[in-house]
Amino acid sequence: MKNTYLLSYLPIISILLFSLSFAIYGEMQMLSLFGNLGIYQGMLEFFSETGIKLALLIVLLLLFFMVFAALKLISDTILELSLLFFSKDSKALNSVRKGSVIYVIGGACSLFSVQFIIGLGSIFIATNVVALIYFVNKLSPSLNLSRLVGLVFFPIFVWTALISIVTYAGLKLYNSVIASIPI
């Protein structure tokens, strides 16, 4: 008998894989920065090299895990909203959940590109594009063209709006901090 809960572990595994990839890259960059600033030698007086690397890896892994978990929560909410608005098929969500295998494969591939941020970003974006194509392909037989267009463009519109709002708020905050610094 097929276990219906087997695929429920794949999202956490993919989040851990992507988090580990970005944490390893961040650790390498931070160690390089600490070495260039001369901080690393001072840190070695208090901690071992392995201890420093492990502590940085754990902290960065936790930070990236929180970011990717939040993105997954937002993504699931947007997906379910788009299905609510544009799909009448009540079993559509279960058929789309099998696409989490795509994210596990993308997370595993990202481990091979931990030295290059462009590679990590490309793999992450490509994984999302492949998952979107899978999502559309899985739901297209049960939808007419107008509902399919709405189902595709609703998440794109919401993500674009969210990214734009966060970018705008970040730039406003940055500009206000820079403007308040006495020169």
Side-chain angles (χ1 to χ4, degrees):
M1 189 170 202
K2 185 177 167 184
N3 188 350
T4 58
Y5 300 108
L6 183 63
L7 294 178
S8 65
Y9 295 105
L10 293 182
I12 189 105
I13 292 170
S14 62
I15 290 171
L16 283 170
L17 289 172
F18 275 115
S19 299
L20 181 62
S21 299
F22 281 92
I24 291 172
Y25 175 78
E27 175 196 13
M28 291 186 308
Q29 295 303 311
M30 288 182 78
L31 288 174
S32 174
L33 178 67
F34 290 163
N36 291 340
L37 294 176
I39 299 172
Y40 190 65
Q41 290 302 323
M43 291 172 72
L44 285 174
E45 294 177 9
F46 297 104
F47 297 105
S48 67
E49 184 177 350
T50 307
I52 293 170
K53 289 181 178 181
L54 187 61
L56 274 175
L57 183 66
I58 290 170
V59 168
L60 290 172
L61 180 66
L62 182 63
L63 288 174
F64 281 113
F65 182 84
M66 288 188 291
V67 168
F68 286 126
L71 288 174
K72 169 81 170 111
L73 178 65
I74 294 168
S75 175
D76 283 351
T77 303
I78 293 170
L79 170 69
E80 291 180 20
L81 269 175
S82 64
L83 288 172
L84 172 70
F85 292 149
F86 300 106
S87 177
K88 292 182 180 180
D89 186 10
S90 61
K91 296 179 183 178
L93 188 59
N94 288 335
S95 66
V96 171
R97 289 220 167 123
K98 293 176 185 173
S100 58
V101 172
I102 296 168
Y103 283 100
V104 172
I105 293 169
C109 290
S110 71
L111 287 173
F112 296 107
S113 185
V114 293
Q115 294 185 347
F116 309 104
I117 190 66
I118 294 173
L120 286 174
S122 299
I123 290 171
F124 184 71
I125 290 169
T127 302
N128 285 307
V129 169
V130 169
L132 178 65
I133 291 169
Y134 174 80
F135 171 68
V136 170
N137 188 32
K138 211 57 166 154
L139 295 176
S140 62
S142 64
L143 300 173
N144 61 22
L145 184 61
S146 63
R147 288 185 180 271
L148 187 63
V149 169
L151 194 70
V152 170
F153 283 107
F154 180 77
I156 291 172
F157 172 74
V158 173
W159 278 112
T160 303
L162 286 173
I163 291 170
S164 298
I165 290 168
V166 169
T167 302
Y168 178 74
L171 287 174
K172 290 292 279 185
L173 182 64
Y174 174 77
N175 286 336
S176 66
V177 168
I178 294 298
S180 68
I181 294 176
I183 295 179

